[in-house]
Amino acid sequence: TRYLPTPDDSARPGDNFINVILEDSRGSFWVGAGDLRMGGGGVYQFDRINGTFSRVRYSSSEPMGSSVNWITSLFEDASGTLWVCSDPHRVYRFDESSGRFSRLPLPNYEGWFGASTEGMNRPTTHAVKRVCEDRAGALWIATWGSGLFRYERRTRGFTQYIPDSSDPSSLSSPHVNTMFLDRTGLLWVGTDDGGVNTVSTKPFLLRHTLGDSLRILNRVQAVFGDMQGGLWIGAIGIGAWRFNPTTQRSTHVWQDVIVNDFYQDKEGTVWACTHTDLISVDPRNNAYPTIWRIPYDGEFGNRVLVDSDGFAWVGTDRSVYRVWRDMKEY
């Protein structure tokens, strides 16, 4: 079933450009949309009964302008609070009961700076890509251009992690695309031009090489940890790998595809959203059938989620699809 958050989006085509899909702990279903080149976007809530989307409005008195339109990430923390990330450089806490957005002000750094920045094109804003919460309740904020921020809520203080040419254990790139916090408390960070890094709750640990000399220096699009402790990595030009932290070995699951997102359902099946397909992967044997193919030429997949009713949702650059997860191979 194909859904358009905004059926007539001729004036705002970004309204149907889906960047993130979230089902919260209360069963509410959300999508975040928008694209800088297209305009439009925003946060939408889905009505499961009527099959319709409603755009979350915000008070015109709030000094946000159009910054809340291009949504890059949605995250629900342990307390049930919804965090909304938008480009170019904003993070909001959303109060569903009042419908108000409260901005979390990031430090006004001018991009990243370090010992070897001379002659480099330093960004002047943060492009916020992801938010997650660690076991201590601190928020981690991934940005494209300014590295990582850790926000300590008790003190309201920020710590920034950036590249430092004099420190080999520092973050390898200021351009962070994605991150995933595994069950041991280790944060896996996928960068645009510096491979995969890991960070514990305290010191930073750089990992260009994952055990068996796998060097992922390509643009890392997706990082995801499964129930078995394996780490799935999708990167431009290499396809998808599964890394076993216990054995320090990695398996090339498939190549010649661009994986933008991973998700594991409660039965243990891993789902991969590529530019063209929804793929089901069995972590036990890495067998993968193509479950569903995006029916429109030129429409590419961004995100995948399997909801509590057993449906797989695929967000693309033009719409949202609901796919029955038990359908036969395409």
Side-chain angles (χ1 to χ4, degrees):
T1 304
R2 189 185 196 210
Y3 295 97
L4 300 176
T6 305
D8 182 10
D9 67 341
S10 57
R12 295 163 51 94
D15 286 352
N16 294 330
F17 194 110
I18 308 304
N19 296 311
V20 59
I21 307 174
L22 172 72
E23 183 180 31
D24 67 23
S25 57
R26 297 174 293 278
S28 295
F29 194 84
W30 309 83
V31 299
D35 182 79
L36 179 63
R37 298 160 297 179
M38 298 180 178
V43 180
Y44 294 84
Q45 190 169 20
F46 181 67
D47 186 325
R48 296 173 186 265
I49 298 177
N50 298 318
T52 57
F53 284 90
S54 58
R55 190 172 189 270
V56 176
R57 304 292 177 180
Y58 55 90
S59 171
S60 59
S61 63
E62 295 180 32
M64 295 190 299
S66 61
S67 65
V68 77
N69 284 344
W70 181 13
I71 305 303
T72 56
S73 181
L74 299 172
F75 174 74
E76 183 186 17
D77 66 20
S79 68
T81 298
L82 187 66
W83 294 86
V84 179
C85 301
S86 71
D87 269 348
H89 56 280
R90 291 173 171 84
V91 180
Y92 297 97
R93 175 179 176 177
F94 176 60
D95 186 336
E96 187 176 355
S97 60
S98 65
R100 292 187 62 85
F101 290 86
S102 301
R103 184 180 173 186
L104 177 66
L106 293 180
N108 190 26
Y109 290 110
E110 184 183 2
W112 72 284
F113 47 92
S116 63
T117 60
E118 183 177 356
M120 297 189 68
N121 182 21
R122 302 190 323 185
T124 57
T125 59
H126 314 289
V128 179
K129 305 291 285 187
R130 294 284 187 276
V131 169
C132 70
E133 181 183 31
D134 64 23
R135 291 180 175 180
L139 291 180
W140 289 85
I141 302 166
T143 75
W144 201 98
S146 298
L148 284 172
F149 291 92
R150 184 179 187 270
Y151 175 64
E152 175 58 58
R153 293 192 236 195
R154 183 178 59 82
T155 63
R156 298 184 179 180
F158 286 90
T159 302
Q160 186 187 25
Y161 295 90
I162 55 176
D164 183 349
S165 60
S166 65
D167 183 2
S169 67
S170 66
L171 187 64
S172 63
S173 169
H175 305 124
V176 179
N177 284 323
T178 186
M179 60 183 175
F180 180 83
L181 187 71
D182 69 21
R183 60 187 179 184
T184 69
L186 195 63
L187 185 68
W188 296 81
V189 181
T191 69
D192 191 78
D193 50 6
V196 179
N197 292 215
T198 56
V199 57
S200 66
T201 55
K202 292 185 179 179
F204 220 96
L205 172 65
L206 171 66
R207 289 192 182 181
H208 281 303
T209 303
L210 296 182
D212 60 349
S213 298
L214 168 64
R215 294 186 64 83
I216 301 179
L217 298 181
N218 305 57
R219 180 180 183 182
V220 178
Q221 294 282 92
V223 177
F224 180 79
D226 61 31
M227 299 175 185
Q228 294 73 32
L231 185 80
W232 296 78
I233 302 168
I236 298 291
I238 67 169
W241 291 81
R242 184 176 186 267
F243 174 65
N244 187 325
T246 303
T247 63
Q248 293 287 295
R249 303 292 296 180
S250 53
T251 303
H252 198 180
V253 182
W254 67 83
Q255 57 186 356
D256 299 327
V257 295
I258 298 176
V259 179
N260 291 320
D261 200 18
F262 293 104
Y263 189 86
Q264 187 172 34
D265 63 27
K266 60 184 179 182
E267 297 178 3
T269 300
V270 173
W271 299 81
C273 178
T274 76
H275 262 24
T276 58
D277 301 306
L278 176 63
I279 299 175
S280 170
V281 187
D282 187 341
R284 295 169 297 183
N285 54 24
N286 290 333
Y288 64 96
T290 297
I291 297 298
W292 177 76
R293 184 154 293 153
I294 297 174
Y296 293 90
D297 290 337
E299 183 172 5
F300 66 84
N302 280 332
R303 294 291 177 260
V304 60
L305 175 143
V306 178
D307 69 17
S308 55
D309 295 327
F311 288 97
W313 292 81
V314 177
T316 77
D317 63 332
R318 300 183 191 175
S319 57
V320 186
Y321 291 91
R322 184 174 65 176
V323 183
W324 178 240
R325 66 178 301 278
D326 291 328
M327 66 188 296
K328 295 180 180 179
E329 183 177 348
Y330 181 86

